[in-house]
């Protein structure tokens, strides 16, 4: 039986003393076993309202800065104070019925009506979605907990002339801004698709509070898909999802919930693991792009019009009362930067709990690689090896899409926007036509004529679009059958050097290769041994040696100082500097006798000793060509204390740290210790006559926007690298037999390869220890 209100009121008196002076949702731990102070005061019902949600209860309209307590089936569940807006969110609440919130103390205490808390898989009946009426233009869509999301619908024609193939772009950027469509939305709109831009809760004009990829963002996406798909103007009553970067990542978090009317997803330039892929690669904080992106999200999640997204402020100032009301919970947004700084390990020894209803999300919760196996619709994914924002680590999860009935992965060297280049665009277009529009892909003639000028504004001069490959098939079924017979993986090589008559750096490749899956089944893990004199040899060295370098650098050096749009055009100047003598160790192979294609991850196994308890390592893989030019290929990073590896994913070509706090260990003083560093995924043609080079140094100086919060010491530190029979140090690379046959012999100019820095090779002499 539910505890009496009088008993709960007694508890709230104790709670008031605990949370007095608290700010926002900060609260002390509280237990249902705390002894209640009896009270005989009877309070009337509250005038404010609580709402049950997915493992949450949220409250708005209460008195500001007032003690509040959440009571559930087992009594007191949590306590805190309302914020300056009179709002409060209780997170991590167990599912159940009968939750009530009591706000205030004594005679001023008020109790809300009971609410229900659900789990992410407790979905509303289909009638909930069918009852919503979505039309052309700007409006709001209601989710299962009553939160309204701002959406912008753009029709390719009159609403009564549908149905139209329909796609959704969903993120915390500004997809619902009626005056500024996102890139994927703009393209799809011009291809005859109805598009729906939706702002994630807690951003723009959407209600609620923002927390980075919490489960509610996934279930909101589910609700949006089902509500939109139920509309009469949606072709087949099924929708696709599109978007690059943030709206690409959001697709993964939504699709794992298996919305029944989701047709397909097409995520571009995404992540597979927030921690390992972008935020803390190798355990080293990326305090360049990753932290900067988090700061932007923190700003965008603040209340408009005083802060937050400018377009939301403009709507509020223009009289949008729903947008204004939807700012009420913004004060309940967790501090994203605090979460970043507290996420020093993938798994803490003890979970950080600010209070019993607001634990820090685990890194596994923020890793799509752990749940993309649930996605049961066709998937198109594209990535660039040198992506200056999200990195290329997402390619490591391609083999995890085990439930997707159709998979298409297009990979190439290049930057964050490479998946929108004309070559990749044609593959993206074909996919959407087959699985969302369900028709033979034929690029509209008007788009084919006008779009190159638009694409040139992003990428510099571009080549014309490719042919309509399936136009000659007799039926949609025949064309789709042919499409599905093609290999899953297509890799474009030497992107930027394939259209010299258009422009050097124009986004087209010199050759392509198709493969049945990723990792490529035919890859041969090929090891090169570090040796004396900076040699890399295919055979173990007979004698041992030591190379030493000074651990110098603050990790803040980058290769580009311009804006992202400048980086994406042609071949911008990348300032990739050679290491100063004594600040790195370098190893170079003999010239290759034949062109060699490598595609996959790499692994560097080192034996190191340092006169510090911990050091941060960077490994660089480069191609030193016969013409004296050196091209950057790919990098990897490791904080030495994170050296313990996960047994499952680690193998001859992968070195995946556990990144668990309990596994972190300092370097033994005066001893050599084996450490393994994973080189991020890549694909590259090493030309005949070229040499493979490995550089080991301090993180930084290899990426346009990534910086590293490297360990610093107030005394000189030296890192020794041992090699030889007792300390076999190696770099193991993913060689694809036969893939280098019939490849272009001409060396791409320096610069020309998109995203890849190049320079004149300067021989490096190691300092011996």
């Amino acid at each position: 039986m539910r505890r009496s209100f009088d008993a709960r009121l007694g508890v709230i008196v104790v709670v008031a003393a605990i949370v007095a002076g608290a700010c926002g949702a900060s609260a002390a731990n509280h237990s249902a076993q705390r002894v209640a102070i009896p009270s005989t005061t009877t309070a009337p019902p509250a005038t404010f309202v609580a709402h049950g949600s997915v493992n949450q209860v949220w409250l708005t309209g209460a008195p500001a800065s007032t003690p509040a307590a959440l009571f559930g089936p087992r009594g007191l569940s949590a306590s805190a104070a309302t914020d300056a807006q009179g709002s409060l969110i209780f997170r991590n609440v167990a599912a159940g019925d009968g939750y009530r919130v009591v706000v205030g103390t004594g005679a001023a205490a008020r109790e809300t009506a009971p609410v229900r808390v659900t789990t992410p898989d407790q979905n509303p009946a289909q009638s909930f979605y069918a009852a919503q009426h979505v039309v052309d233009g700007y409006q709001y869509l209601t989710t299962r907990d009553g939160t309204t999301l701002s959406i912008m619908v753009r029709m390719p024609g009159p609403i009564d002339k549908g149905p139209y193939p329909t796609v959704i772009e969903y993120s915390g950027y500004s997809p619902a801004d009626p005056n500024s469509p996102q890139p994927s939305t703009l393209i799809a709109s011009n291809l005859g698709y109805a598009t729906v831009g939706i702002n994630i809760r807690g951003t723009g004009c959407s209600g609620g509070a923002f927390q980075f990829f919490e489960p509610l963002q996934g279930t909101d996406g589910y609700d949006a898909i089902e509500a939109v798909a139920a509309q009469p103007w949606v072709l087949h009553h099924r929708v696709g999802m599109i978007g690059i970067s943030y709206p690409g990542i959001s697709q993964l978090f939504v699709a794992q919930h298996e919305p029944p009317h989701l047709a397909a997803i097409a995520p571009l330039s995404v992540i597979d693991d927030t921690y390992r892929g972008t935020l803390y690669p190798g355990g080293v904080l990326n305090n360049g792009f990753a932290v900067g992106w988090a700061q932007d999200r923190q700003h965008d999640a603040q209340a408009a019009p005083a802060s937050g997204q400018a377009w939301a402020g403009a709507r509020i100032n223009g009289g949008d009362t729903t947008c204004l009301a939807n700012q009420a919970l913004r004060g309940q947004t967790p501090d994203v930067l605090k979460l970043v700084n507290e996420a020093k390990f993938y798994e803490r020894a003890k979970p950080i709990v600010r209070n019993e209803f607001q634990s820090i999300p685990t890194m596994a919760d923020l890793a799509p690689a752990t749940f993309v196996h649930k996605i049961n619709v066709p998937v198109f994914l594209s990535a660039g090896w040198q992506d200056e924002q999200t990195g290329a680590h997402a390619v490591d999860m391609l083999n995890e899409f085990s439930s997707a009935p159709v998979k298409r992965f297009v990979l190439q060297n290049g930057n964050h926007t490479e998946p929108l280049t004309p070559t990749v665009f044609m593959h993206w277009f074909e996919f959407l036509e087959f699985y969302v529009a369900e028709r033979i892909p034929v690029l509209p003639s008007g788009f084919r004529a006008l779009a190159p000028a638009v694409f040139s504004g992003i990428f510099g001069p571009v080549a014309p679009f490719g042919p309509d490959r399936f136009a000659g098939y007799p039926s949609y079924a025949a064309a789709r059958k042919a499409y599905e017979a093609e290999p899953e993986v297509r890799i474009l090589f030497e992107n930027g050097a394939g259209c010299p008559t258009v422009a050097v750096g124009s986004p087209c490749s010199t050759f392509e290769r198709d493969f049945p899956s990723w990792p490529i089944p035919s890859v041969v893990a090929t090891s090169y041994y570090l040796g004396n004199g900076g040699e890399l040899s295919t055979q173990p060295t007979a004698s041992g040696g030591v190379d030493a370098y000074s651990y110098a650098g603050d990790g803040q050096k980058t290769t580009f100082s311009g804006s992202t749009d400048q980086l994406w055009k042609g071949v911008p100047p990348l300032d990739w500097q050679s290491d100063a003598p004594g600040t790195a160790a370098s190893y170079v192979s003999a010239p290759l006798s034949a062109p060699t294609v490598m595609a996959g991850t790499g692994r560097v196994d080192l034996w190191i000793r340092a006169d510090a308890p911990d050091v941060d390592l960077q490994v660089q893989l480069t191609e030193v060509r016969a013409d004296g030019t050196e091209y950057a290929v790919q990098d990897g990073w490791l904080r030495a204390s994170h050296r313990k590896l996960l047994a499952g994913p680690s193998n001859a070509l992968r070195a995946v740290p556990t990144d668990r706090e309990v596994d972190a260990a300092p370097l033994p003083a005066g001893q050599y210790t084996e450490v393994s560093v994973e080189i991020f995924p890549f694909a590259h043609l090493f030309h005949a006559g070229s040499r493979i080079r490995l550089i080991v140094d301090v993180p930084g100086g290899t990426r346009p926007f990534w910086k590293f919060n490297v360990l610093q010491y107030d005394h000189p530190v030296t890192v020794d690298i041992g090699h030889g029979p007792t300390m076999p140090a190696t770099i193991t690379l993913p060689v694809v037999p036969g893939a280098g046959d019939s490849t272009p012999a001409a060396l791409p100019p320096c610069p020309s390869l998109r995203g890849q820095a190049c320079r004149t090779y300067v021989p490096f002499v190691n300092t011996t220890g």
Side-chain angles (χ1 to χ4, degrees):
M1 180 178 292
R2 182 171 65 89
R3 295 174 63 188
S4 69
F5 177 75
D6 286 353
R8 290 196 300 281
L9 186 59
V11 175
I12 203 77
V13 172
V14 178
V15 172
I18 297 172
V19 301
C23 177
S26 178
N29 287 342
H30 196 81
S31 168
Q33 282 71 45
R34 184 180 292 274
V35 177
I37 298 175
S39 172
T40 59
T41 303
T42 300
T47 55
F48 44 85
V49 179
H51 291 260
S53 186
V54 177
N55 296 123
Q56 295 185 7
V57 173
W58 54 272
L59 178 76
T60 55
S65 305
T66 303
L70 175 68
F71 292 88
R74 297 183 180 181
L76 179 64
S77 295
S79 55
T82 61
D83 62 21
Q85 304 302 316
S87 301
L88 182 62
I89 296 179
F90 295 99
R91 293 183 169 91
N92 296 336
V93 180
D97 294 319
Y99 281 95
R100 291 171 169 81
V101 180
V102 176
V103 179
T105 61
R110 297 292 185 272
E111 178 181 25
T112 67
V115 298
R116 184 187 186 208
V117 175
T118 63
T119 61
D121 58 355
Q122 290 178 283
N123 300 312
Q126 202 61 34
S127 58
F128 171 76
Y129 306 113
Q132 300 201 43
H133 185 54
V134 181
V135 295
D136 198 7
Y138 183 86
Q139 64 218 273
Y140 292 88
L141 180 150
T142 304
T143 66
R144 64 189 67 188
D145 69 350
T147 299
T148 58
L149 304 182
S150 53
I151 75 172
M152 179 63 192
V153 178
R154 295 175 173 88
M155 300 276 186
I159 193 169
D160 59 352
K161 299 298 182 182
Y164 302 109
T166 303
V167 289
I168 289 174
E169 186 158 6
Y170 174 63
S171 79
Y173 289 156
S174 301
D177 182 352
N179 299 315
S180 183
Q182 296 287 294
S184 296
T185 288
L186 182 62
I187 294 170
S189 295
N190 283 282
L191 291 170
Y193 285 74
T195 62
V196 184
I198 306 176
N199 261 71
I200 278 175
R201 71 168 54 214
T203 68
C205 283
S206 291
F210 175 85
Q211 181 165 334
F212 184 69
F213 285 124
E214 65 177 340
L216 258 177
Q217 293 181 4
T219 57
D220 284 350
Y222 179 110
D223 293 346
I225 287 168
E226 293 305 299
V228 172
Q231 305 308 308
W233 47 265
V234 175
L235 184 65
H236 311 305
H237 290 292
R238 300 172 75 233
V239 301
M241 296 190 78
I242 58 172
I244 185 170
S245 193
Y246 195 176
I249 300 165
S250 300
Q251 296 175 49
L252 305 174
F253 281 86
V254 172
Q256 66 165 320
H257 295 287
E258 304 178 44
H261 294 91
L262 177 62
I265 63 172
L268 310 176
S269 299
V270 298
I271 60 171
D272 69 323
D273 189 314
T274 300
Y275 183 97
R276 296 189 176 110
T278 306
L279 186 58
Y280 279 90
V284 187
L285 175 63
N286 173 0
N287 67 348
F289 171 79
V291 170
W293 190 87
Q295 291 172 327
D296 290 343
R297 304 290 70 73
Q298 188 73 40
H299 171 271
D300 285 0
Q302 295 174 358
S307 187
Q309 296 181 346
W311 73 272
R315 288 201 63 85
I316 292 171
N317 292 333
D320 188 333
T321 56
T322 301
C323 185
L324 177 61
N326 278 350
Q327 310 300 307
L329 282 166
R330 293 298 199 266
Q332 296 298 299
T333 298
D335 186 336
V336 177
L337 296 179
K338 188 173 184 180
L339 295 179
V340 166
N341 291 325
E342 289 173 338
K344 294 179 180 179
F345 296 93
Y346 198 86
E347 183 179 307
R348 302 298 299 238
K350 293 182 179 180
I352 296 176
V353 181
R354 295 204 185 97
N355 51 62
E356 64 189 54
F357 62 90
Q358 199 176 53
S359 299
I360 304 306
T362 68
M363 288 297 104
D365 295 332
L366 304 180
T370 65
F371 56 71
V372 294
H373 65 278
K374 302 177 185 177
I375 296 174
N376 62 356
V377 296
V379 176
F380 178 91
L381 187 149
S382 183
W385 305 122
Q386 289 76 32
D387 189 315
E388 78 282 358
Q389 298 184 25
T390 55
H393 203 272
V395 179
D396 279 340
M397 74 174 170
L398 298 187
N399 64 323
E400 301 295 338
F401 287 93
S402 55
S403 298
V406 178
K407 291 166 280 190
R408 285 294 179 274
F409 306 129
V410 181
L411 313 170
Q412 63 276 306
N413 62 286
N415 302 306
H416 190 60
T417 53
E418 229 59 43
L420 293 179
T421 58
T423 302
V424 185
F425 160 80
M426 287 299 294
H427 296 290
W428 177 84
F429 169 69
E430 289 172 352
F431 177 84
L432 292 179
E433 290 290 280
F434 277 124
Y435 300 107
V436 179
E438 297 186 15
R439 61 194 179 197
I440 295 176
V442 176
L443 195 63
S445 58
F447 187 94
R448 183 179 288 278
L450 297 176
V454 176
F455 281 75
S456 295
I458 303 171
F459 304 109
V462 297
F465 292 112
D468 295 314
R469 299 192 302 136
F470 300 93
Y473 281 81
S475 66
Y476 163 73
R480 177 169 161 173
K481 182 178 180 180
Y483 179 81
E484 293 180 353
E486 295 179 347
E488 288 182 1
V489 178
R490 174 164 292 182
I491 301 179
L492 316 181
F493 287 87
E494 299 185 332
N495 178 30
C499 298
T501 58
V502 176
V504 173
S506 179
C508 49
S509 60
T510 63
F511 71 102
E512 302 179 3
R513 290 290 184 266
D514 292 336
F515 301 99
S517 59
W518 184 278
I520 297 168
S522 60
V523 155
V524 175
T526 303
S527 295
Y528 291 81
Y529 293 81
L530 283 61
N532 292 326
E535 292 185 352
L536 274 182
S537 173
T538 56
Q539 299 299 319
T541 55
S543 59
V546 175
D547 297 313
Y549 67 90
S550 173
Y551 183 78
D554 62 4
Q556 301 307 291
K557 186 187 300 181
T558 61
T559 60
F560 192 68
S561 58
S563 62
T564 53
D565 59 338
Q566 293 171 325
L567 182 68
W568 299 333
K569 289 184 178 180
V571 282
L574 297 177
D575 185 19
W576 180 41
Q577 298 180 6
S578 297
D579 290 289
T583 63
S586 171
Y587 305 89
V588 185
S589 75
L592 297 170
S593 60
T596 303
V597 165
M598 299 184 191
T601 51
R603 173 169 169 159
V604 178
D605 293 293
L606 302 171
W607 290 85
I608 69 168
R609 178 181 62 187
D611 44 10
D614 202 0
V615 292
D616 294 326
L617 304 170
Q618 176 174 265
V619 296
Q620 301 180 53
L621 172 65
T622 77
E623 179 190 9
V624 178
R625 303 190 320 192
D627 65 355
T629 297
E630 182 177 19
Y631 255 108
V633 177
Q634 193 55 284
D635 312 312
W637 303 270
L638 180 72
R639 177 157 290 176
S641 59
H642 286 232
R643 62 189 176 274
K644 185 172 182 179
L645 301 180
L646 280 172
S650 297
N651 55 38
L653 287 167
R654 296 202 64 193
V656 184
T658 68
D659 293 310
R660 299 192 307 170
E661 188 173 15
V662 296
D663 294 332
L667 292 169
Q671 299 179 25
Y672 282 95
T673 303
E674 186 176 19
V675 298
S676 301
V677 188
E678 180 170 303
I679 299 172
F680 272 31
F682 70 96
H684 185 78
L685 169 64
F686 288 80
H687 287 263
S690 288
R691 294 179 288 165
I692 299 166
R693 186 184 186 196
L694 168 67
I695 304 168
V696 183
D697 58 4
V698 178
T702 65
R703 298 270 159 160
F705 302 130
W706 283 25
K707 301 177 182 179
F708 298 90
N709 188 27
V710 298
L711 296 167
Q712 298 283 290
Y713 295 98
D714 58 5
H715 59 84
V717 173
T718 299
V719 178
D720 295 330
I721 299 176
H723 46 79
T726 61
M727 294 185 290
T730 59
I731 177 173
T732 305
L733 298 170
V735 175
V736 187
D741 297 346
S742 302
T743 52
L747 299 177
C750 171
S752 64
L753 301 185
R754 293 180 62 83
Q756 294 187 244
C758 65
R759 63 192 178 194
T760 299
Y761 172 61
V762 178
F764 191 92
V765 178
N766 290 337
T767 302
T768 56

